[in-house]
């Protein structure tokens, strides 16, 4: 089971590598990212950043759905990483019951869409209109959706943040 999907446009980095796996008591990291799955250089960089005590899978989003939905993994504790809310939504919808929670932590800073159309949901979460709609749909799935950057930071309910957008 994917204990939590973290939406973070940096995917694996120091905080993720050192803190979140321990906090969530996971044994594996699933990076669901179409670009990383097809780019040997980015995949190698992610492998170097992954802690030795975590098994790493780098898959396309569609392949990650298959991993999440596989009944052999229901007792495994997996930490999922995506770089966009829409990818988290796709996994939640594609593998019902296989995701425990979604943490919308850091996203949108490298999005190359029209800056004038973007909204800041909260510090470090900048969404284009497509991602705003994906966030609303994700909240509506019933899976807990929070914003929590660091393990010691306060959890914020993303539904409350989205409600402020109107």
């Amino acid at each position: 089971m994917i204990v939590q999907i973290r939406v973070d446009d940096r995917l694996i980095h120091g905080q993720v590598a050192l803190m979140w796996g321990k906090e969530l008591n996971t044994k594996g990291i699933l990076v669901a990212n179409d670009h990383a799955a097809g780019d040997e250089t980015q995949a190698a960089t992610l492998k170097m950043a992954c802690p030795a005590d975590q098994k790493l899978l780098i898959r396309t989003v569609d392949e990650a759905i298959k991993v999440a939905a596989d009944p052999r993994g229901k007792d495994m504790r997996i930490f999922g990483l995506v770089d966009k809310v829409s990818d988290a939504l796709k996994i939640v919808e594609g593998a019902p019951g296989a995701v425990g929670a979604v943490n919308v932590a850091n996203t949108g800073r490298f999005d190359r869409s029209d800056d004038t159309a973007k909204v800041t949901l909260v510090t470090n979460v900048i969404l284009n209109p497509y991602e705003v709609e994906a966030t609303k749909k994700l909240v509506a799935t019933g899976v807990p959706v929070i914003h929590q950057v660091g393990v010691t930071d306060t959890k914020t309910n993303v539904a409350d943040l989205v409600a402020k957008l109107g």
Side-chain angles (χ1 to χ4, degrees):
M1 173 176 197
I2 297 176
V3 178
Q4 183 183 97
I5 293 176
R6 179 180 174 93
V7 182
D8 192 321
D9 48 26
R10 297 172 293 170
L11 297 172
I12 299 176
H13 53 86
Q15 184 182 104
V16 166
L18 298 173
M19 305 292 284
W20 281 101
K22 290 177 185 171
E23 177 71 15
L24 298 171
N25 191 28
T26 60
K27 299 295 180 213
I29 296 174
L30 172 61
V31 173
N33 183 275
D34 293 346
H35 178 73
D39 183 306
E40 290 181 24
T41 303
Q42 187 173 10
T45 303
L46 292 168
K47 287 175 186 173
M48 284 189 290
C50 186
D53 65 340
Q54 297 281 327
K55 184 174 182 172
L56 176 65
L57 293 175
I58 302 169
R59 300 289 188 263
T60 66
V61 176
D62 288 336
E63 291 168 341
I65 291 168
K66 292 176 185 172
V67 170
D70 190 324
R72 294 174 294 179
K74 72 176 177 66
D75 295 328
M76 297 177 72
R77 294 185 62 81
I78 301 168
F79 181 32
L81 294 168
V82 298
D83 66 350
K84 331 183 257 257
V85 176
S86 54
D87 287 347
L89 173 64
K90 190 172 180 181
I91 295 168
V92 167
E93 289 180 336
V99 177
V102 177
N103 178 2
V104 181
N106 295 295
T107 188
R109 293 171 295 165
F110 308 117
D111 177 348
R112 294 184 178 166
S113 63
D114 180 8
D115 286 341
T116 62
K118 294 177 187 175
V119 297
T120 300
L121 190 63
V122 66
T123 304
N124 293 332
V125 177
I126 304 158
L127 305 174
N128 65 38
Y130 181 76
E131 290 294 295
V132 168
E133 288 308 310
T135 303
K136 290 177 181 178
K137 289 178 183 175
L138 182 61
V139 166
T141 66
V143 170
V145 182
I146 60 160
H147 168 73
Q148 183 182 21
V149 177
V151 296
T152 60
D153 294 333
T154 302
K155 293 179 186 177
T156 303
N157 187 336
V158 171
D160 296 338
L161 300 171
V162 169
K164 294 178 184 177
L165 295 178

